[in-house]
Amino acid sequence: EVQLVESGGGLVKPGGSLRLSCAASGFTFSTYSMNWVRQAPGKGLEWVSYISSTSTYIYYVDSVKGRFTISRDNAKNSLYLQMNSLRAEDTAVYYCARDAPVDLTGSPYYFDYWGQGTLVTVSS
Amino acid sequence: DIVMTQSPDSLAVSLGERATINCKSSQSVLYSSKNKNYLAWYQQKPGQPPKLLIYWASTRESGVPDRFSGSGSGTDFTLTISSLQAEDVAVYYCHQYYSRVTFGQGTRLEIK
């Protein structure tokens, strides 16, 4: 059974940092691209970042470029999101989502499995 | 960026009736050489993560009831629930993956 379990969320002050983790199990993590998607309270979904299976291709939404860094450790079956210079508008539930195994072109496709999410609150 | 616009924002349908949700992209998401529309649909119930329903605009994900169907091509897409069940109450999102990733704003579906 595919499982994605996020952790690392919490309350942080504006300008602070946080590192999210996503522990994957039930599939060969090293062969799948992964994504982070966020959802502000009561709002819709916003894609944040993508990383290919070997970390060759990495993309971000414009609003987090230069502040967030996605990474992965295939030996530990884990995905990460380092978030720096946090702002109030980064407050959201952050989901990790598995990219569908379509091909190896290094582009995100649709997301076939999602974690339960971890809440990040940026407030003074 | 490709902008995805869903309509309506909310919808109330009687049990057993048809529900139709529309999604329009600001540019075509049809990859002509592959003849595939890079469009997916998700269902999100309160307190839960999104669940994949449809991909390539019309391919139903394994395990999704056949009352859910997707149609459309190019810039205009539709998610149809043929006979609404109580468990279908949720917010539905379209998602384009033709150029990076963007989601529609969501459509809230309720029982009338």
Side-chain angles (χ1 to χ4, degrees):
Chain A
E1 178 195 4
V2 171
Q3 283 201 317
L4 299 169
V5 180
E6 302 91 339
S7 60
L11 175 63
V12 60
K13 289 182 169 53
S17 298
L18 215 51
R19 189 195 196 205
L20 305 183
S21 299
C22 172
S25 60
F27 65 102
T28 306
F29 179 74
S30 62
T31 64
Y32 285 81
S33 299
M34 299 293 296
N35 299 267
W36 287 100
V37 178
R38 67 185 178 183
Q39 186 169 36
K43 302 297 184 183
L45 302 171
E46 181 184 37
W47 170 78
V48 174
S49 185
Y50 163 95
I51 185 167
S52 60
S53 58
T54 57
S55 305
T56 303
Y57 301 97
I58 288 175
Y59 311 114
Y60 301 96
V61 68
D62 286 347
S63 59
V64 308
K65 281 180 184 174
R67 300 189 299 122
F68 290 12
T69 302
I70 191 171
S71 62
R72 63 190 296 161
D73 186 334
N74 287 342
K76 294 183 178 180
N77 292 334
S78 293
L79 174 71
Y80 306 102
L81 187 67
Q82 177 67 43
M83 304 186 295
N84 298 330
S85 303
L86 282 161
R87 306 166 180 167
E89 54 265 35
D90 296 319
T91 294
V93 173
Y94 285 73
Y95 297 102
C96 67
R98 193 180 81 167
D99 214 73
V102 177
D103 58 32
L104 299 176
T105 57
S107 294
Y109 286 95
Y110 53 94
F111 308 151
D112 57 358
Y113 287 93
W114 299 62
Q116 289 295 316
T118 187
L119 176 62
V120 172
T121 303
V122 184
S123 174
S124 54
Chain B
D1 290 0
I2 297 178
V3 177
M4 307 299 289
T5 304
Q6 292 182 226
S7 62
D9 289 333
S10 63
L11 181 62
V13 175
S14 300
L15 289 173
E17 295 299 305
R18 178 185 301 261
T20 301
I21 299 170
N22 301 300
C23 176
K24 189 175 184 67
S25 57
S26 61
Q27 66 186 74
S28 177
V29 299
L30 171 62
Y31 199 134
S32 302
S33 61
K34 297 185 178 182
N35 195 30
K36 285 183 179 292
N37 287 282
Y38 282 41
L39 191 285
W41 288 96
Y42 301 86
Q43 174 194 64
Q44 187 178 32
K45 296 181 179 180
Q48 296 184 19
K51 173 189 173 183
L52 176 66
L53 296 176
I54 302 283
Y55 55 95
W56 301 129
S58 61
T59 302
R60 198 179 303 113
E61 172 72 333
S62 175
V64 173
D66 60 7
R67 64 180 180 273
F68 290 90
S69 63
S71 62
S73 184
T75 61
D76 292 280
F77 301 90
T78 300
L79 174 70
T80 301
I81 307 172
S82 59
S83 177
L84 189 71
Q85 304 299 303
E87 60 265 32
D88 300 335
V89 169
V91 179
Y92 292 84
Y93 295 93
C94 60
H95 155 207
Q96 71 78 20
Y97 43 98
Y98 181 90
S99 175
R100 294 294 182 266
V101 173
T102 47
F103 292 93
Q105 80 276 18
T107 294
R108 186 175 302 277
L109 177 59
E110 300 172 335
I111 305 294
K112 185 187 290 184

